[in-house]
Amino acid sequence: MTTKIINIDLAHLENSENDIKYAAEVIRSGGLVAFPTETVYGLGGDGTNPHAARAIYAAKGRPSDNPLIIHIADPHDAEAYTYTSDVYYKLAERFMPGPLTVVLKAKDSVPMETRGGLSTVAVRCPSHPVANRLIALSGRPIAAPSANLSGSPSPTAASHVIDDMQGRIDVIINGGDCEIGLESTIVKLEDDGALTLLRPGRITVDELACIAPVAIADAVTDRLAEGAVALSPGMKYRHYAPESPLVLLDGEVESVIDYINAEKLHNAAIICYTEQESIIKVAIPTAHIFVLGASDDISEQAKKLFAILREADKHNFSKIYAPLPSREGVGLALYNRMIRAAAHTVINLRQDNNG
Ligand code: AMP
Ligand code: MG
């Protein structure tokens, strides 16, 4: 299949109206379109069309019991596909459009293929102007997982989508780099009005707790126990893991340097904070260094993480070392992605380590 690439100048979006109309027509006729959102690029198909859902799973190589999020142009559009509630509208008023996905009881208008056989469906109303226009012009809810091959990091630039999806889907819309760079926060809205955090993202637990009580699913921070039932099917799959082993080091830069030097590895890579770069370069001159961003700028780190992991995968590093993120605020999202990429391999280099 030939993939059409549409380049969009966000500063003059009105010039791209015909291109977006074309892409919306592809969605309406059952085809697949990758498009930018404020979180990561999505791989979209008609959320009411079971064939489109199957095509999405096939293009990604994704297990078909891992449900898709449906994207809507207006929070009220959820009425056609889900049973909403007061708490849903409180969340919508505060966080939509934006990087929040809410899991609700599904109506029959959403095919089983789209929701991976579950009785619930996840909805999100993205704030990215291209995503919003595409959904509105298609007149359909757009089912869209991240536009990467299953098992590789989510795409935060059109070049990542092209690397993974060219020749597998109809259209790729290039709208530049994604502003947030990590996937949306996902909460399940429980029958009693409480929230369960299934996936952390830019919208934090503290922000959500202003609307309703929040419980954090164990799998957000911990390894899912053998045989445990995942609240979110995606939690049970091996998520992105780099080709080279990723090890998270919890400690000050001096102990990190001592640890890495003691391992005496050739061809290792180190992901570090901006202010650590020069000292690590001097102390470990043979290592390949990737700079994640300033240590206190979690937004910058979030925006860069997946691009760095993709770049690292192009080299055959013996090991990749990275700092263990804090779990505070948006840090929890970064922590969740990195701990999964590292298959929970964390080395404690702190003095107060008792074992
Ligand atoms: P992605 O589409 O790649 O952003 O991943 C979407 C995530 O949302 C996956 O981890 C899914 O398992 C999760 N998800 C989608 N729909 C539901 C649902 N109805 N209930 C729980 N988790 C869901
Ligand atoms: Mg994904």
Side-chain angles (χ1 to χ4, degrees):
M1 153 186 322
T2 311
T3 302
K4 183 181 164 76
I5 303 203
I6 295 174
N7 293 305
I8 289 194
D9 176 2
L10 289 179
H12 300 282
L13 192 55
E14 66 283 0
N15 296 345
S16 300
E17 182 74 2
N18 282 337
D19 282 334
I20 301 178
K21 262 188 195 148
Y22 169 84
E25 203 45 55
V26 170
I27 297 272
R28 292 173 65 83
S29 58
L32 302 187
V33 175
F35 60 97
T37 81
E38 68 277 24
T39 57
V40 302
Y41 273 76
L43 172 54
D46 178 355
T48 63
N49 179 345
H51 302 291
R54 283 194 210 108
I56 290 172
Y57 293 121
K60 277 183 67 83
R62 172 170 175 146
S64 59
D65 69 344
N66 191 0
L68 309 174
I69 294 171
I70 61 168
H71 294 70
I72 52 182
D74 182 299
H76 292 93
D77 294 345
E79 293 298 339
Y81 314 108
T82 67
Y83 295 94
T84 63
S85 66
D86 285 357
V87 177
Y88 169 78
Y89 281 105
K90 280 187 191 154
L91 290 168
E93 195 175 318
R94 175 78 179 77
F95 303 113
M96 296 184 195
L100 179 69
T101 297
V102 184
V103 175
L104 298 161
K105 204 155 279 158
K107 290 188 175 167
D108 290 342
S109 52
V110 187
M112 277 299 178
E113 284 80 356
T114 303
R115 46 183 152 121
L118 298 180
S119 60
T120 52
V121 65
V123 291
R124 172 161 121 77
C125 176
S127 63
H128 195 291
V130 172
N132 195 277
R133 197 73 194 126
L134 177 67
I135 301 163
L137 287 173
S138 73
R140 304 285 161 83
I142 297 187
S146 48
N148 52 291
L149 288 172
S150 195
S152 77
S154 292
T156 56
S159 62
H160 304 159
V161 183
I162 292 169
D163 285 348
D164 281 16
M165 290 294 159
Q166 191 153 39
R168 304 174 75 92
I169 60 176
D170 301 287
V171 177
I172 296 173
I173 302 179
N174 174 4
D177 292 351
C178 299
E179 188 194 319
I180 296 175
L182 295 180
E183 306 88 340
S184 61
T185 302
I186 304 181
V187 286
K188 181 165 189 220
L189 182 42
E190 307 290 354
D191 290 342
D192 63 359
L195 303 173
T196 306
L197 180 76
L198 301 181
R199 178 172 74 186
R202 230 286 291 282
I203 292 172
T204 63
V205 171
D206 286 350
E207 289 176 290
L208 293 163
C210 295
I211 308 287
V214 187
I216 302 178
D218 290 346
V220 167
T221 50
D222 300 328
R223 204 192 289 266
L224 199 63
E226 194 93 13
V229 176
L231 293 176
S232 177
M235 288 172 170
K236 74 173 181 247
Y237 291 108
R238 173 181 161 275
H239 207 244
Y240 165 69
E243 296 292 325
S244 324
L246 175 66
V247 174
L248 304 183
L249 301 178
D250 182 17
E252 299 303 324
V253 69
E254 294 76 17
S255 25
V256 163
I257 287 169
D258 289 347
Y259 180 87
I260 296 173
N261 272 331
E263 288 227 302
K264 293 195 171 67
L265 290 180
H266 292 290
N267 196 29
I270 302 173
I271 299 174
C272 70
Y273 300 124
T274 312
E275 54 271 44
Q276 302 174 329
E277 184 184 7
S278 54
I279 168 169
I280 292 179
K281 249 186 187 150
V282 172
I284 317 175
T286 55
H288 189 114
I289 295 176
F290 295 100
V291 178
L292 193 54
S295 63
D296 62 354
D297 190 344
I298 295 176
S299 300
E300 185 189 6
Q301 297 168 31
K303 196 169 175 168
K304 283 195 185 157
L305 177 68
F306 288 147
I308 289 176
L309 293 176
R310 272 183 180 261
E311 184 56 36
D313 260 349
K314 293 184 185 156
H315 304 260
N316 200 11
F317 293 122
S318 50
K319 221 177 235 189
I320 305 168
Y321 301 97
L324 179 74
S326 132
R327 301 188 198 187
E328 292 297 309
V330 187
L332 185 65
L334 209 60
Y335 178 93
N336 167 268
R337 305 312 187 277
M338 289 183 76
I339 201 134
R340 295 183 72 183
H344 294 265
T345 312
V346 179
I347 308 288
N348 187 340
L349 301 172
R350 300 209 175 268
Q351 296 293 317
D352 57 5
N353 176 15
N354 295 318

